[in-house]
Amino acid sequence: MPSSDYLKSLVDIEAGRISPEIFIDEDIYRLELDRVFGRNWLFLAHDSMIPKPGDFFSTYMGGDPVVVARQPDGSVRAFLNACRHRGMRVCRAESGNTKSFFCTYHGWAYDTAGNLINVPNLSDAYKDRLSLKDNGLIPVARIESYKGLIFGNFDATAPSLEEHLGDLKYYIDGWVDQVEGGIEVLPGVVRWTINANWKLAAEQFAGDTYHAPTSHASSLLSFGPAFEGKDGAHVAFREGHGESFLFKRHTRFSEDPLSVYNDAKLEAARDRVGDRAEFVANFTAFPAFSGLPGSSNIRVWHPKGPNKFEIWSFTVVDKNAPPEAKKAMQVSASFTEGPAGVVETDDGENWGLIGAILEQGHQARKMRWNYQMGDYPATGHEEFPGAYRDSFFGEAGHRAFYRRWLEFMTSEEWPVLTQEERDAFNKPGA
């Protein structure tokens, strides 16, 4: 297991220098599964994905498969998708509605509350000595939701989801509360694999807009003029989250159903959430939940090894939008942010080429990457919380992400933050 001293030698937040070893080392990855994914709030589903009792959705928490199920009383529970007999999946479907989960290896069956309800040959094979009560599915210790976003945590001692999200909630509210009825996630998850480390994607969504004018030059120019730092801002959070946003930038073509809908709702949305109604934003909620609210898209970065991860992408729409606007949102999200999207393919190529260099190289792993952009005092903003900096370009969100990552990786327990630490981090001039 990598020692705390070794990990601290790889991540120097004050100097803005990070060793690429954290993106490729197998031992670091295994420790990450335990200390980052094993005790953090991880996105599982949205309420609209499992609306009725018996509805379920299969996903992952770190490398572990889990199933999320709506209970008869309307609550939500989640369990390791692994039979207590030999660890076989008990749910092999991506989603659906059921009264029970069934292991196709030896036939053990569980209800949607995770209770073991049937074992073949219980009398003659086990002589009725097997305890059904003690062999239910392993539960996810904590399930909490915020504005319909359902998260799970294997650490029963962790602070609440709302405390973990902190001031990022203000920006989430600006996205999910724009219109009456809130949001919904359309059916279907788009999945694809990148041969790189999941943190490369998470850090980019935490505030790397600096890559866009270069990596996405051809695609973004088809939506509108190039942008500069003065056109937006970025915000970092002591909890490890980050967000950057453009002000009042419209990226749709004129007169299509989505443009018509957005123009019609703008006044009401501004009344509800102010300037947030016109943000084109990207964010990461530490560690692995990200989104592009202005592009109708949220996603999860599922690690599959130190140099492989899956992207799970969901299309998000306003629940009460007309069908033609919802369809336009879905088409737009696929056109820009899907695995073959005109924007997304640029990101996948970048991450994959970095992953190949680290996997095959030696000298490249000795260098220290530069995370110094935006290393100047936060300017603050009277409306927008967090450590606010008045440029669309900056890496404050990256440094906050890796500060928090290092705290989890070097702590035996959940690294609790005090309010004083949060206040000092957000203070203008800090």
Side-chain angles (χ1 to χ4, degrees):
M1 178 184 298
S3 69
S4 293
D5 287 343
Y6 175 63
L7 291 169
K8 290 175 182 177
S9 76
L10 301 179
V11 179
D12 189 341
I13 298 300
E14 300 308 318
R17 298 284 185 175
I18 293 177
S19 168
E21 282 293 332
I22 72 169
F23 301 98
I24 195 66
D25 183 89
E26 177 72 30
D27 291 335
I28 290 176
Y29 171 72
R30 299 308 303 183
L31 183 62
E32 207 171 55
L33 291 180
D34 178 49
R35 294 192 173 179
V36 176
F37 289 94
R39 57 189 186 188
N40 247 297
W41 288 105
L42 305 176
F43 177 74
L44 299 178
H46 184 265
D47 276 338
S48 59
M49 297 166 62
I50 49 170
K52 303 187 301 296
D55 285 350
F56 67 88
F57 179 69
S58 297
T59 184
Y60 287 86
M61 294 179 69
D64 292 297
V66 297
V67 60
V68 190
R70 182 75 66 181
Q71 302 301 301
D73 64 359
S75 64
V76 175
R77 301 189 72 177
F79 314 89
L80 274 182
N81 190 358
C83 181
R84 292 296 295 276
H85 184 233
R86 288 295 185 274
M88 172 65 175
R89 289 177 185 265
V90 299
C91 179
R92 297 170 69 178
E94 295 179 356
S95 61
N97 185 278
T98 189
K99 293 182 178 179
S100 62
F101 299 109
F102 177 78
C103 176
T104 57
Y105 191 6
H106 295 99
W108 287 27
Y110 304 82
D111 64 18
T112 58
N115 301 306
L116 181 60
I117 56 175
N118 186 65
V119 174
N121 305 102
L122 182 62
S123 296
D124 57 349
Y126 286 96
K127 305 300 181 184
D128 289 318
R129 294 181 179 181
L130 178 72
S131 170
L132 299 186
K133 179 180 179 181
D134 294 335
N135 284 281
L137 297 176
I138 299 297
V140 175
R142 302 273 296 282
I143 303 291
E144 295 183 17
S145 66
Y146 183 75
K147 301 294 179 73
L149 301 167
I150 304 167
F151 289 74
N153 197 323
F154 279 113
D155 186 350
T157 71
S160 70
L161 172 63
E162 290 206 25
E163 183 175 339
H164 170 64
L165 292 175
D167 284 334
L168 184 64
K169 295 194 299 292
Y170 178 84
Y171 300 90
I172 293 175
D173 294 348
W175 155 48
V176 302
D177 289 338
Q178 282 196 14
V179 294
E180 190 71 28
I183 62 170
E184 68 175 343
V185 175
L186 295 182
V189 185
V190 181
R191 304 172 174 89
W192 65 104
T193 300
I194 302 292
N195 290 320
N197 187 271
W198 68 274
K199 294 188 291 297
L200 291 173
E203 70 161 50
Q204 179 173 303
F205 275 64
D208 181 3
T209 50
Y210 184 59
H211 78 285
T214 301
S215 291
H216 304 315
S218 59
S219 55
L220 290 181
L221 286 176
S222 69
F223 293 101
F227 46 77
E228 302 176 9
K230 63 180 177 60
D231 297 327
H234 67 284
V235 187
F237 305 88
R238 186 60 181 83
E239 295 85 358
H241 321 310
E243 173 159 348
S244 57
F245 42 85
L246 287 167
F247 300 113
K248 299 182 180 180
R249 182 178 176 89
H250 301 279
T251 59
R252 293 292 310 170
F253 301 108
S254 60
E255 303 307 318
D256 72 349
L258 187 51
S259 290
V260 172
Y261 170 73
N262 284 338
D263 289 343
K265 79 167 187 178
L266 183 57
E267 184 175 352
R270 285 190 60 84
D271 286 343
R272 291 174 67 92
V273 299
D275 289 341
R276 292 170 291 172
E278 296 184 80
F279 280 178
V280 174
N282 52 272
F283 74 88
T284 288
F286 184 87
F289 175 58
S290 299
L292 295 157
S295 299
S296 308
N297 180 261
I298 57 174
R299 69 261 309 277
V300 180
W301 320 108
H302 288 302
K304 299 300 177 183
N307 204 42
K308 180 180 289 188
F309 69 95
E310 287 184 5
I311 303 173
W312 286 27
S313 181
F314 306 81
T315 298
V316 181
V317 301
D318 294 337
K319 184 176 182 179
N320 293 334
E324 61 272 16
K326 291 183 180 181
K327 182 63 176 178
M329 291 179 195
Q330 189 172 38
V331 170
S332 175
S334 299
F335 175 71
T336 58
E337 305 301 334
V342 295
V343 176
E344 187 72 51
T345 51
D346 303 327
D347 294 329
E349 182 178 40
N350 289 334
W351 298 330
L353 288 173
I354 293 170
I357 289 172
L358 295 182
E359 184 174 61
Q360 300 166 17
H362 177 68
Q363 300 300 329
R365 291 169 64 166
K366 295 180 180 181
M367 67 186 292
R368 296 290 170 127
W369 292 356
N370 187 301
Y371 285 81
Q372 296 174 347
M373 189 187 309
D375 186 14
Y376 54 82
T379 56
H381 194 285
E382 62 182 13
E383 180 180 353
F384 304 130
Y388 178 97
R389 288 170 171 81
D390 57 0
S391 172
F392 191 46
F393 305 133
E395 292 167 347
H398 299 57
R399 293 190 295 275
F401 178 92
Y402 288 112
R403 181 193 301 273
R404 196 64 176 142
W405 178 88
L406 185 62
E407 288 173 343
F408 273 95
M409 292 289 284
T410 57
S411 175
E412 296 292 336
E413 299 177 347
W414 176 285
V416 175
L417 293 173
T418 67
Q419 189 59 49
E420 289 75 14
E421 287 176 303
R422 292 185 175 93
D423 292 342
F425 184 81
N426 295 340
K427 183 179 179 180

